[in-house]
Structure formats: structure tokens, C-alpha cells
Amino acid sequence: MEMAIDSGIALRVAAGVSLVFLAGQRPSHEALRHALANCQRQAALAADQDQLASSELVTCGLMFEIDGLAPHTGAPMNAPQDQYGFGHAIEWEKCEAIRLYPGHHVSGGVRLQPVVHTLLALAAELAVGLPVQAVHWHPADTAIEPHAFSRSVLAWLAGGTFPALGLTVLSTMADGSVVSRGLSHFAGQEFTLLRAPEAERMKMAGFVADQIVRSGPLDRYIQWQFNGLTLNAEPAAEARRVLVWPSELNA
């Protein structure tokens, strides 16, 4: 009933993650409880909701929802736009999914850092604790190989580099510029990297994504140092995009 009356569910699902399984391998409530018991972080699935299509899960004082658990119908799923880390093609039509997303109590804060970090940390543990075939990160519409997702997310949350390839998409345009998609979920802004040297282009774009996530939305001109190059960064007039270019382009 909650799903039927919750007008904000589309927004909350869009901020969530799907764990993708081969048909017939989606976990039940009992199997998920067993996987949660083996997670490093404490997480509890509501004990009185096994008969419901959507169940509540609480961890770190935050409530999330999970749906698609067996024997209920799997969560809706389409092939993501971009895929990372796979050594083989995924036959999406043969897969089923469960979804994990912010609960209605945090519907106004789906992009808040504690919510995003807790959701990703829990998904990273479940991705390797269950027979997951792929992780579908909704905000960027990407699919990531489960072990690659888990390693990169947990390393970032421990203080490492933001895993731009997977949690965002970095697309190279015809003019050589790189445009991000999905970064706004973490920092409130996307970026365009203008005419970066081809050999350094994607590394530079990953560096820019990491800097923006670390610093938060840019509201002024700033410079960064990358491999001996000075990068200029400035919010665009529309404010939700940052323009970045090497100083050599000023000449």
C-alpha cells in the first residue's frame, strides 16, 4: 500500500541501485537476512513484512526500501546505457533484479551525503555477498561488474579516489571535450572538460570528477594541478555545470 500512495517513489527509486541476478536466483527475505548478517555494517530487514512486495531495511539510523525479493515479482529492469568492468556480455532479458533505494522518511534528502554513502556501502557488500551478476546504478544509468563495484566504492568511502567510471559516465564529444553524466547526484553539478590532451583525457576527467565531489559545488573560479598541468575550473552561467580547461588553452 505504501508504494501506491507514495507520490515520491519515482524520485527515490531514481536515486537507488538494482542488484541484477540470473532468473530464479533473486534472494528471498530469509536469504537477504542471512547476507545482511555477514555484512560489516549492521542492517536489519523488517521482520513483519515478508508477505509484502516492498520491505523496509534500516542501517546506520537510515531507512531504505527494497523490492523484488522472491517469491514476489522481480523489480522492473531495462538494459543500462553504459556498462563497466565486464569480461562478457550480459543477457539482460534473462536477468531479474531487486532494488534498494531511500525510504520515504528521507524522500527530501536522497542526495544527502550520509544517505548516498550508506546506500552505496550496503550495496557494495551485498554485491559480493549474493550471486549478483551486475549492479545497476540508477542515477547514471550504468551497469558495473559486482566485484569491481564493491572494490571501487569501498575504497572511495575509505578515503580513496571517486570511482567516476561507473558511478558517472564520462563521454568524449566530437571536438575532444569530455562531458560528465551523473555527477550531479554527488556534487550538484556536471562538468565539461575542454580539449584535454588525448593521451591524458580520461585520467584528467576522472581527476576533475574526484575534485568536484571532494570540494562540493563550485561557486567561483579555481585552479587545480594535474600531472604538471594547471587546470582552470569555473561554474558556467547556468550554474549546474563546471567548465574546465588546461591553462595552455588561454594562450
Side-chain angles (χ1 to χ4, degrees):
M1 291 297 294
E2 179 66 38
M3 292 180 65
I5 63 174
D6 185 0
S7 60
I9 190 171
L11 177 64
R12 294 189 290 114
V13 169
V17 61
S18 289
L19 302 179
V20 181
F21 301 81
L22 292 176
Q25 293 189 1
R26 283 180 298 114
S28 63
H29 286 77
E30 181 179 357
L32 181 60
R33 286 194 181 93
H34 180 74
L36 292 172
N38 292 320
C39 290
Q40 290 189 2
R41 64 185 51 242
Q42 292 186 334
L45 192 65
D48 59 347
Q49 297 182 343
D50 291 14
Q51 304 305 313
L52 301 180
S54 177
S55 187
E56 295 181 351
L57 186 156
V58 179
T59 181
C60 298
L62 296 170
M63 192 271 281
F64 297 89
E65 289 185 39
I66 191 162
D67 60 32
L69 293 170
H72 303 289
T73 302
M77 186 189 66
N78 295 311
Q81 282 187 273
D82 295 270
Q83 303 178 29
Y84 297 95
F86 297 99
H88 60 280
I90 299 293
E91 297 182 87
W92 297 102
E93 68 279 4
K94 297 182 180 180
C95 294
E96 301 173 344
I98 64 174
R99 301 186 303 195
L100 177 66
Y101 49 92
H104 59 86
H105 296 313
V106 294
S107 60
V110 295
R111 295 185 179 185
L112 292 177
Q113 186 180 90
V115 175
V116 175
H117 286 197
T118 302
L119 172 68
L120 283 169
L122 183 58
E125 292 203 67
L126 292 177
V128 293
L130 293 167
V132 176
Q133 299 297 303
V135 178
H136 177 197
W137 176 235
H138 300 174
D141 195 18
T142 54
I144 308 111
E145 192 278 329
H147 286 83
F149 173 83
S150 181
R151 286 194 304 270
S152 61
V153 164
L154 294 178
W156 168 52
L157 294 177
T161 302
F162 176 70
L165 292 179
L167 295 188
T168 69
V169 176
L170 304 176
S171 301
T172 303
M173 303 291 101
D175 63 357
S177 62
V178 179
V179 176
S180 70
R181 184 183 83 229
L183 192 69
S184 59
H185 188 74
F186 299 91
Q189 292 172 321
E190 302 291 345
F191 74 85
T192 299
L193 174 61
L194 300 171
R195 302 192 301 280
E198 185 173 357
E200 300 276 4
R201 185 176 293 156
M202 296 312 294
K203 288 183 179 180
M204 189 179 289
F207 170 82
V208 170
D210 182 64
Q211 292 299 308
I212 294 175
V213 171
R214 288 178 185 275
S215 65
L218 268 66
D219 59 3
R220 59 185 176 83
Y221 171 82
I222 194 173
Q223 289 186 328
W224 297 309
Q225 297 299 314
F226 172 81
N227 287 357
L229 292 173
T230 298
L231 298 182
N232 304 277
E234 186 174 38
E238 291 78 10
R240 294 201 65 182
R241 181 164 296 274
V242 176
L243 302 180
V244 184
W245 69 97
S247 287
E248 287 71 12
L249 296 184
N250 289 330

